[in-house]
Amino acid sequence: MVVRDGSTHYMFAEGPRPSESQLLTSPDGVKWTVVGVLDIRTTAGRPIERPFGTPTVWLEDGRWYLFYERADLGVWLATTHDPRSLRWTNVQDEPVLEPGPAEYDREMIAVDQIIQHRGVYYAFYHASGRCAEGATRTWNTNIARSTDLRH
C-alpha cells in the first residue's frame, strides 16, 4: 500500500521474504528506494517474532498506524511517529482483529485498507474459512468498523 505525506510516497509491502514487511520511499511514485524491513516491537520493546506481513498503514495527526498480520491468524496494530526509523511499537500485544466467529472468516484474516467516514474507521479485510462441513476454503472481502482503531 502507498501513503503520500508531503512530497514523499511511502510504500509498505510484503517482501523480500514472504511475510516480511518493508518500507520503500519515492519522490514521484514511480522510482522506489528500499529503506528496509520494519522492526516491530512488543509494548515492552522486545522485537516480535516473524512472520509478519500484509502491512496496511493509516496516517493521522502525525502518527502512523500499522496494521499487520502474523501468519494470517489475526491483525495487530503498531504505531510510530517516524516510519523512516523502521521501528514500530505495538499498541497492545494482542490482536485488534481476530478470525471468526463466523465460518467465512474463521481461518485467516489480513487488513487491506483503512478509510474513515464521519468519525468511524472502516477496515476492509480479506479472510478465509469454510462455508460448510467438508467444503473447500473460500476467500472473501469483509468490513470491520471501529471508533478508535483498536476495538
Side-chain angles (χ1 to χ4, degrees):
M1 85 151 317
V2 177
V3 174
R4 184 173 175 213
D5 185 34
S7 61
T8 303
H9 295 77
Y10 295 84
M11 179 189 295
F12 297 87
E14 192 169 318
R17 293 188 302 239
S19 294
E20 182 176 74
S21 297
Q22 66 175 324
L23 172 64
L24 299 89
T25 59
S26 172
D28 59 10
V30 177
K31 184 175 176 164
W32 294 91
T33 301
V34 175
V35 178
V37 174
L38 304 185
D39 176 11
I40 303 172
R41 303 287 175 125
T42 66
T43 57
R46 291 184 301 277
I48 66 162
E49 293 180 31
R50 288 190 170 92
F52 54 88
T54 318
T56 300
V57 174
W58 178 258
L59 173 59
E60 186 172 308
D61 298 328
R63 190 167 189 184
W64 295 74
Y65 297 84
L66 170 70
F67 296 85
Y68 65 95
E69 51 82 9
R70 295 177 72 184
D72 291 310
L73 300 176
V75 175
W76 282 258
L77 174 61
T79 64
T80 190
H81 288 287
D82 179 12
R84 289 177 187 258
S85 74
L86 300 175
R87 169 94 39 110
W88 298 77
T89 303
N90 279 348
V91 298
Q92 63 190 42
D93 292 326
E94 298 77 34
V96 295
L97 186 62
E98 296 181 272
E103 288 294 328
Y104 64 85
D105 69 349
R106 183 167 286 169
E107 293 183 19
M108 301 169 144
I109 61 171
V111 170
D112 301 306
Q113 183 71 46
I114 304 288
I115 65 168
Q116 184 186 43
H117 180 69
R118 296 184 181 172
V120 178
Y121 301 95
Y122 295 90
F124 293 83
Y125 69 99
H126 65 273
S128 73
R130 300 204 183 275
C131 292
E133 187 67 33
T136 57
R137 178 180 295 161
T138 60
W139 283 99
N140 51 79
T141 301
N142 307 279
I143 303 172
R145 54 179 273 153
S146 172
T147 57
D148 63 3
L149 295 173
R150 292 184 178 128
H151 300 98

